[in-house]
Each structure stands twice: as structure tokens, then as C-alpha cells.
Amino acid sequence: MNRILLASAFLLVSISAVFADGIPPAAPAVASPVPAAISPAPKAPAPKLVEPHLHIARSNLAGHARIALTFDACMGQADERILSTLVRERIPATIFVTARWLKRNPAALAVFLQNPDLFELENHGENHIPAVDTPTLIYGIASAGSPQAVRQEVEGGAAAMVAAGIPAPHWFRGSTAKYDLSAIGEIRAMGYRIAGYSVNGDGGSLLGAVITEKRIASAKDGDVVISHINQPTHAAGEGVAKALVDLKAKGTEFVRLEDVEDTGDDKTTE
């Protein structure tokens, strides 16, 4: 018992000596603070996109509607169902070609060049990249993403056309037919008119033959029809070919964009 009392007294003296020397007792361990979660950087707002409309001057004659047929040749092969119908029926059309399509379709290009009274060839770009100067995805396709890339898409397409023996183009239609307003200004400053449309004939060549035929055959005086001439395995091409015959039987006047006055919205033709 005496030993315990002596040990306690010694401990109290030792603690007192520590405080007397001015050395504070060790602070109790404190858990390190957990760093706050880092918030992801805010996403840039998606660019405002437009899909311009285009109309041509009407004939204003009953039973004699005037329409402009336009076809995109994006990639892939030529659709002979459409091409042969245009040639056989002597139906004029404006064809928008990419540099990539031109490389793969020399025979179809030869047909176009052998029929200058029927076909007007215009610029669909170098690599089929949407002409939008900020990064975004359109139908899963990455846009050009900068003014420099938009210029390259346009100029590269035109250069490939001239190299293939095609007259220098005056119209441009970008992949997906969607643009932002700043890119429209850039393309117009390069001297191009931008080709919108008023009738979507084949839904990007993804529609069936029957609905494609009905859509195109319903075109009215002053309409500009967009369809595709590069998907020979799609059912839409059959509908396009039938609609051309339907329209001709109605007495439709077919014109190319270079043959008639036009009006486009979003400052695409002003």
C-alpha cells in the first residue's frame, strides 16, 4: 500500500514538472480531414444548330409545278437505280459530291460529266464532316469543331472536284445539312451559297421505298427535294426512282439550282 502511494506521488510530481517547463502535453490525435470531392468542369453549352430551308422561284402554272431535285453523294457507291432513271427520263438534278465519293465512283462521275445538260455538280465537302465550328456530335458524327476545320472541309471538297475535271462549285451542303450560324457566315464569306431544302425525300436514305416515293411525289411548286444517290442497297432508292417517274407524269418541271432564282433562310443565300 505504501508503495502504491509513493508511486502516485512520484507521478504527480513528474507531471507538475512538465507543465512547469512550459511544455504542453501532447494533443490527442485528430483524424486528417477528408478532401472535398472535386466537381467536374462544367460542359460547354451545345452550339445552336439550324437546318436551313431553301425554295426556288415557282412557275405559278396550274399542273406545271417546278421543283429542284438535289442528291447527296456522301460515301459508298452510286445508286444506279436513281442514276439510270435520271438519264433515261432526261431529268435534271443537282448532285452534291464529297471528295471521298469521287474517289470510289469514277464510272458514275463519267456519266455526270457526259450529261452536262442534266447534272450540276456541287460541293458536299472533303470528308463528310458537319460544317459546325464548335465541337459537338450530330447524329453521332463529330463536327468539324473549329473555323479552320470548316474551311478545310469546304476547300478540300472543292479542290477534289476541280482535280476530277468538275467546274468550280458555287454551292455547298455540309454533312447532316446542319450548321451553326457562325459557320454559315464563314462559308458565305468563302463565296458559297448554302443549299438547304424544303422536302426531305428519303430520311437520309433510311426510309422504306413506299414512304420515300410518297414524300418525293408530294413535292409542290417551288420545292427543293433532298435525297441520296449513294446507298444502292437501301430500299429508299427504289422509292426515289419511282417518284421521279411519278412527278414527270404529272407534268413537273425539273430544274437545277443554277437554273433558277432561289430563297434560303438563316442567311444561307443572301
Side-chain angles (χ1 to χ4, degrees), residues 72-76 96-102 124 128 228-230:
D72 288 357
C74 312
M75 294 171 281
F96 287 86
V97 297
T98 67
R100 296 174 67 175
W101 188 88
L102 288 174
H124 197 33
H128 201 246
H228 292 75
I229 196 168
N230 66 303

Side-chain angles (χ1 to χ4, degrees), residues 54 67-71 94 173 196-202 215-216 219-220 223-227 247:
L54 180 67
I67 70 168
L69 296 172
T70 69
F71 292 93
T94 303
R173 175 183 285 155
Y197 61 90
S198 58
V199 175
N200 186 337
D202 62 2
R215 280 194 179 194
I216 298 176
K220 296 179 173 55
D223 273 333
V224 175
V225 180
I226 182 176
S227 298
L247 287 169

